[in-house]
Amino acid sequence: MYRIEFSGCLTTLLILFLILFLIKELWWLIVGIIIILIVLYYARLIYKIFFIKETIEKETSQPKMGEVYKVCPYCNTKVKVTAATCPVCKHALN
């Protein structure tokens, strides 16, 4: 039996040619994946901005002057007396 041995340089060149062939033939797939990754990155960023904005609004929704309130025993947030749960930590206030 004969053994075929490739030197490191030849193997590297073959792998390089294979990669170049795949890039040439599947360029639309690579561009599509890059576009999808960019869209997912910005979608996640926009979602975080809106989610954080909503959370901050809930945390800073303090009662107005003159309103009666109670303090949540779990997070020490001022909550309206009529509230059944804390808007920040979601624990029951009964």
Side-chain angles (χ1 to χ4, degrees):
M1 282 196 188
Y2 293 101
R3 288 177 83 189
I4 299 175
E5 293 184 18
F6 294 106
S7 66
C9 183
L10 182 61
T11 306
T12 305
L13 284 175
L14 288 174
I15 291 172
L16 228 131
F17 284 130
L18 179 67
I19 290 171
L20 288 174
F21 173 76
L22 289 176
I23 289 174
K24 181 182 174 196
E25 294 297 318
L26 300 175
W27 65 270
W28 53 270
L29 182 64
I30 294 168
V31 170
I33 290 172
I34 291 171
I35 290 172
I36 288 172
L37 290 175
I38 291 170
V39 168
L40 286 176
Y41 171 77
Y42 283 108
R44 202 173 301 134
L45 187 66
I46 290 170
Y47 174 75
K48 284 182 182 180
I49 288 171
F50 284 117
F51 181 72
I52 290 171
K53 182 179 177 183
E54 182 179 298
T55 305
I56 290 172
E57 285 176 359
K58 284 183 180 178
E59 289 176 358
T60 58
S61 62
Q62 298 292 329
K64 295 183 178 98
M65 269 310 252
E67 272 188 317
V68 182
Y69 64 91
K70 57 186 170 185
V71 177
C72 175
Y74 301 101
C75 65
N76 295 327
T77 304
K78 293 179 182 179
V79 183
K80 291 182 182 181
V81 175
T82 57
T85 59
C86 177
V88 177
C89 65
K90 306 292 187 219
H91 281 96
L93 298 174
N94 296 338

